[in-house]
Amino acid sequence: VRCWSNIPFITMPLSRTHGKSFAHRSELKHAKRIVVKLGSAVVTRGDECGLALGRLASIVEQVSMLQNQGREMMIVTSGAVAFGKQRLRHEILLSQSVRQALHSGQSQLKDMAIPVLEARACAAAGQSGLMALYEAMFTQYSICAAQILVTNLDFHDEQKRRNLNGTLHELLRMNIVPIINTNDAVVPPPEPNSDLQGVNVGKVFVKDNDSLAARLAVEMKTDLLIVLSDVEGLFDSPPGSDDAKLIDIFYPGDQQSVTFGTKSRVGMGGMEAKVKAALWALQGGTSVVIANGTHPKISGHVITDIVEGKKVGTFFSEVKPAGPTVEQQGEMARAGGRNLAALQPEQRAEIIYRLADLLTDQREEILLANKKDLEEAENKGRLALPLLKRLSLSTSKLNSLAIGLRQIAASSQDSVGRVIRRTRIAKDLELEQVTVPIGVLLVIFESRPDCLPQVSALAIASGNGLLLKGGKEAAHSNQILHHLTQEALSTHGVKDAVQLVNTREEVEDLCRLDKLIDLIIPRGSSQLVRNIQKAAKGIPVMGHSEGICHVYVDTDASVEKVTRIIRDSKCEYPAACNALETLLIHRDLLRTPLFDQIIDMLRVEQV
């Protein structure tokens, strides 16, 4: 017996080979077979009488898109009772109107009382209409759908269970979307204290569509179960309370930290039922995401966003990361940045000087880590030669880095707190413009690990918290450079001010953390800058335009400087993004000794 949320139920052996769920959101894009469970609050209108046609159409569109990509989609739907309630109410009002008109010669609908409608009758009246609606919507995308109604007996009886399994596999083989629902017209009321396996009878028990979806997902060896509800996901306390916080990733065993509220306004299950069903499916090897299917700004692409690996709703995972989450890192960087800004300028300079010393003192360890990155990049063969050169560190590069950091430290004395402008407004009233830290910076960079100490030094000098997101190709180099940066920060107890994002967070997910990040600085190609500007949600992005890497040699140029500047801008580090691309020479310099000297130098350098 396992206990989830203090409610025990028996764990029965699975009928399938125990699978392995996805450990990270980014892997969801590989999901082949997907079950989408639509809760009653998703498919019904706010008055609980009739269907939310707009939401349903959007869901069908997303499912059709994924089906046409070659995935195998299944839908577990609610809505028959709501649809039937709408139809029966209409029929009753029409019938009462006719009878009253015949009896009294007038129709007074306002005096009519609608009787309480029994749920089974509503389900019987609404199921055919619900399915007809699905058929009409899927037909618009040239997709065929099929209806399957199940009861608890279909899972209790071994032969029926095998028949159901075979039917679903055959439909998927024929590229048909199965639409599954409990047969609410004949199903008995749910037994108390019964769950997926039913503690009372020790057999599989389907008491609502949450448990049905979980059971089907495991039976069909599904890769992903998406449970759509009327809330954003799982919160650590009931949504709406002041301190409620959305849980991004939920792990088995974390349920003790969750306080469940009341169930949904419609349907049979609440969030607690969804969590138990999700954990059971996870145990069976199916990944699960609980998300909002009713929010107009989210629901239009919630299913496709989840499959693309975007940070939507609550993702259930069995693999708990060793380090902090990116949200926790953001909070640590904010707190550390504030402590950093409170230091004296001399103390911030000491940290940067210490980091410069560590770059030279720990040179061997840095170069060894960088060698691992270079070997892995060469073995995979994914990096172009210029990117490999940017990835490479050397003794001379580290020495240059150390010199640059010492220059930053020397010039950082008035970075924070400097009065730029002072205006006297009135007697004893002055208005000052003073330099202050921005807050938490997110810097995203590609390939070059030497960017990490450079950016860290600038953030330290300006008193800003820093989140660093480097490329995977420089993982070993970035790791040791970040370790040395934190060692330097520890000199004055502000180790947390600079954080390296090592989790499998996608850049788009980082760009949505508008409550933690104050400015995003992408350092890389113009395409990277454009992508981040597009992905950023409510966070300013300091990007760069297309660079014009030209050098112009005028007739009045200093002869001593010309060849030295051209060689340095082109030949010293040609892999740099700001290396010389075009050399412009005044026409009067053609066929002069200086022109010949420039050309000879470039030929010697093999340009």
Side-chain angles (χ1 to χ4, degrees), residues 205-270:
F205 191 90
V206 175
K207 73 169 189 175
D208 55 32
N209 276 347
D210 293 317
S211 53
L212 169 61
R215 181 69 222 192
L216 279 172
V218 174
E219 283 283 341
M220 295 296 295
K221 300 180 182 179
T222 302
D223 300 313
L224 174 62
L225 168 61
I226 299 174
V227 179
L228 296 184
S229 178
D230 56 353
V231 292
E232 280 70 23
L234 178 61
F235 288 77
D236 55 2
S237 57
S241 56
D242 294 336
D243 56 347
K245 186 177 179 181
L246 179 66
I247 299 173
D248 172 42
I249 305 178
F250 190 79
Y251 307 98
D254 283 357
Q255 58 270 27
Q256 299 301 327
S257 62
V258 177
T259 303
F260 293 102
T262 57
K263 75 179 187 71
S264 168
R265 61 176 174 83
V266 291
M268 296 173 62

Side-chain angles (χ1 to χ4, degrees), residues 149-156 160 181-183 186-188 206:
L149 296 178
V150 298
T151 65
N152 191 44
L153 294 176
D154 296 314
F155 293 96
H156 176 70
K160 289 185 176 181
N181 195 2
T182 51
N183 192 352
V186 299
V187 72
V206 175

Side-chain angles (χ1 to χ4, degrees), residues 158-170:
E158 183 65 22
Q159 184 60 48
K160 289 185 176 181
R161 190 173 64 83
R162 283 200 298 266
N163 292 342
L164 174 62
N165 194 295
T167 300
L168 288 170
H169 276 97
E170 185 64 14

Side-chain angles (χ1 to χ4, degrees), residues 53-54 56-57 60 64 132-141:
L53 297 178
L56 208 56
V60 168
S64 299
L133 185 60
Y134 273 119
E135 283 278 7
M137 288 182 173
F138 274 111
T139 300
Q140 301 302 312
Y141 302 95

Side-chain angles (χ1 to χ4, degrees), residues 363-379 388 391-394 449 473-474 476-477 480:
R363 181 187 303 113
E364 298 302 323
E365 289 82 353
I366 297 171
L367 295 179
L368 185 62
N370 185 244
K371 184 180 178 182
K372 291 181 182 178
D373 288 326
L374 288 170
E375 289 174 351
E376 290 180 6
E378 289 173 353
N379 291 336
L388 274 175
L391 177 60
S392 174
L393 292 175
S394 63
E473 64 279 356
H476 298 293
S477 305
I480 187 168

Side-chain angles (χ1 to χ4, degrees), residues 64 116 486 493 510 531:
S64 299
V116 176
Q486 289 199 315
L510 293 172
N531 290 342

